[in-house]
Amino acid sequence: MADTPVLKFAGPVIDEATIAAVADVLRSGHVTSGPWVERFERELSTFCAGRHVRVLTSATAAVEVALQIAGIGPGDEVITCAQSFFTVLNMIVKVGATPVFVDCDLVTRNIDLGQVEARIGPRTRAIIPTHWPGSLADMERLYALARSRGLRVIEDAALVLGSQYQGRNVGAIGDLVTFSFHPNKNITSIEGGALVLDSAAEAQRVDALRFHGIVRLPDGTRDVAFPGGKFNLPDVNARIGVAQLARLPEFLARRRALVERYFARWRANPPCVLPPQPQSGDGQSWNMFSVLLPLPELTLTRKAFRDALMARGIATGVSYEALHLSTLGRRFGYHRGDLPNTEQIADATVTLPLTAAMTETDVDRVADACADLLAAHRR
Ligand SMILES: Cc1ncc(COP(=O)(O)O)c(C=O)c1O
């Protein structure tokens, strides 16, 4: 393997034109938030059917600011799915609210809306669903529920920029929607994220919340009325984001072709549990390709499986650990056994390589290595 580079499980494609464009921004003298941030926001707004968009330094910042926009704080409960990234748990706790965890579907990994409904109580203020590559949360049911109970929704759409719900881009409909531009996502600004909103007044409040809480007074001085953060995206990053957004359709097509190759390789007898199969015209995007290992049928652990793939030059990830069983999550009274699907996924999931830089030959290499290893270690 010495001469074969390690196949990364996630990562960006950054072209030379973008690198040159960043150099231009660096030479321009305007490197922090400025015209490229405005342009990135305009283009994202067009992508989201004209809704208000504000870019921030990460999706994590976007979730924190969204919670602040929704007025959520101490004494409030936020219902969310325990099969998600730490951002969701951390930000709910950071604003002083209490996370209420529910389970997810074993195949789509999307939030169980029946459990959401059952957990709504007098202190519930919001629902945070995480959308999954290949299949979105049932938005019609989610928003009907939220509207009927007077709840805000903060969609964690970090993984699904470019997915469509009933023909419309995620972000073009709904309440507060957050995207990530981390290098592992569908497009990158290196670090970066966006918050999509309906109300101009709330968008203006984001302007303050992401920049020290500052508002400008008519006499040219400044004031702060609440403690804002420092989450403004620099132009250097926004320039990369603009270049990447232009390539989103191409990146998504490549990712989808690679996912179809995984499915084609494992059409009969898949060696592990696969995500929902792509259907023609389904509008889904594929940021990750995560499978479930049939651990009870195997003589090797997930760690041994991942180590064996790594020894063959194939890197993998774990998406995600169970939030309710983290040290922080357990502080809210959760135990193993509370959310069986989330826990089964957390124990058995492996994210296989999927980047827009990969070829079908790379997928074949991964599929062969997985099939060999799993066949060699069946009970
Ligand atoms: C589902 C999900 N939500 C939110 C985030 C946070 O994104 P960021 O790194 O931009 O803060 C991530 C990052 O991996 C994620 O996977």
Side-chain angles (χ1 to χ4, degrees), residues 204-323:
Q204 264 177 20
R205 196 167 158 83
V206 177
D207 291 337
L209 283 166
R210 71 179 170 180
F211 195 73
H212 309 286
I214 286 175
V215 289
R216 292 182 189 279
L217 302 178
D219 69 355
T221 64
R222 298 165 296 178
D223 185 27
V224 292
F226 49 82
K230 183 66 167 65
F231 303 132
N232 58 300
L233 191 74
D235 260 18
V236 172
N237 300 76
R239 180 68 191 89
I240 301 170
V242 167
Q244 290 268 303
L245 188 58
R247 293 190 67 184
L248 177 65
E250 175 200 339
F251 291 158
L252 293 183
R254 181 92 289 265
R255 287 172 173 281
R256 191 176 178 94
L258 296 168
V259 166
E260 283 171 358
R261 180 68 159 213
Y262 274 116
F263 274 95
R265 287 297 313 266
W266 289 336
R267 184 156 287 137
N269 268 335
C272 35
V273 180
L274 304 182
Q277 176 149 13
Q279 306 293 327
S280 149
D282 64 10
Q284 299 306 305
S285 67
W286 288 92
N287 179 249
M288 289 195 299
F289 191 71
S290 297
V291 300
L292 290 187
L293 297 179
L295 289 175
E297 298 164 25
L298 302 176
T299 57
L300 85 179
T301 61
R302 173 174 60 186
K303 179 162 189 325
F305 175 78
R306 294 184 65 207
D307 289 347
L309 282 181
M310 197 61 205
R312 296 179 184 211
I314 298 170
T316 57
V318 172
S319 303
Y320 295 103
E321 295 81 358
L323 295 180

Side-chain angles (χ1 to χ4, degrees), residues 22-336:
V22 167
D24 289 343
V25 175
L26 289 172
R27 288 191 198 99
S28 75
H30 201 129
V31 291
T32 191
S33 309
W36 285 104
V37 162
E38 282 170 28
R39 174 147 169 204
F40 194 23
E41 288 179 341
R42 261 197 323 273
E43 294 189 3
L44 286 166
S45 172
T46 302
F47 185 84
C48 295
R51 300 180 79 209
H52 299 277
V53 177
R54 292 295 185 270
V55 292
L56 301 101
T57 43
S58 66
T60 302
V63 171
E64 180 175 351
V65 167
L67 285 160
Q68 292 172 321
I69 287 289
I72 290 167
D76 296 332
E77 290 181 354
V78 178
I79 302 180
T80 194
C81 187
Q83 183 45 235
S84 184
F85 186 59
F86 299 115
T87 285
V88 178
L89 163 62
N90 286 347
M91 293 307 105
I92 293 170
V93 177
K94 196 170 171 201
V95 300
T98 300
V100 174
F101 288 114
V102 297
D103 213 346
C104 64
D105 184 88
L106 199 52
V107 177
T108 69
R109 307 189 179 192
N110 272 300
I111 193 165
D112 181 330
L113 292 172
Q115 290 192 15
V116 172
E117 188 162 10
R119 297 298 303 272
I120 294 173
R123 293 165 60 201
T124 308
R125 299 287 308 281
I127 306 167
I128 306 185
T130 293
H131 292 299
W132 274 82
S135 151
L136 300 169
D138 178 347
M139 303 252 243
E140 228 164 303
R141 185 169 170 207
L142 167 69
Y143 277 100
L145 182 60
R147 264 192 301 272
S148 71
R149 308 297 285 267
L151 304 176
R152 296 298 298 255
V153 175
I154 301 170
E155 293 177 38
D156 172 6
L159 305 175
V160 296
L161 183 77
S163 285
Q164 296 190 331
Y165 185 78
Q166 297 177 348
R168 291 197 281 176
N169 286 335
V170 170
I173 51 171
D175 189 2
L176 301 162
V177 182
T178 59
F179 291 112
S180 173
F181 309 128
H182 177 273
N184 288 355
K185 301 304 187 287
N186 287 343
I187 66 166
T188 191
S189 59
I190 309 306
E191 298 292 350
L195 173 57
V196 189
L197 317 93
D198 264 340
S199 136
E202 288 188 345
Q204 264 177 20
R205 196 167 158 83
V206 177
D207 291 337
L209 283 166
R210 71 179 170 180
F211 195 73
H212 309 286
I214 286 175
V215 289
R216 292 182 189 279
L217 302 178
D219 69 355
T221 64
R222 298 165 296 178
D223 185 27
V224 292
F226 49 82
K230 183 66 167 65
F231 303 132
N232 58 300
L233 191 74
D235 260 18
V236 172
N237 300 76
R239 180 68 191 89
I240 301 170
V242 167
Q244 290 268 303
L245 188 58
R247 293 190 67 184
L248 177 65
E250 175 200 339
F251 291 158
L252 293 183
R254 181 92 289 265
R255 287 172 173 281
R256 191 176 178 94
L258 296 168
V259 166
E260 283 171 358
R261 180 68 159 213
Y262 274 116
F263 274 95
R265 287 297 313 266
W266 289 336
R267 184 156 287 137
N269 268 335
C272 35
V273 180
L274 304 182
Q277 176 149 13
Q279 306 293 327
S280 149
D282 64 10
Q284 299 306 305
S285 67
W286 288 92
N287 179 249
M288 289 195 299
F289 191 71
S290 297
V291 300
L292 290 187
L293 297 179
L295 289 175
E297 298 164 25
L298 302 176
T299 57
L300 85 179
T301 61
R302 173 174 60 186
K303 179 162 189 325
F305 175 78
R306 294 184 65 207
D307 289 347
L309 282 181
M310 197 61 205
R312 296 179 184 211
I314 298 170
T316 57
V318 172
S319 303
Y320 295 103
E321 295 81 358
L323 295 180
H324 67 299
L325 299 183
S326 65
T327 302
L328 180 57
R330 284 178 191 267
R331 268 210 239 150
F332 296 90
Y334 292 90
H335 302 98
R336 185 163 277 278

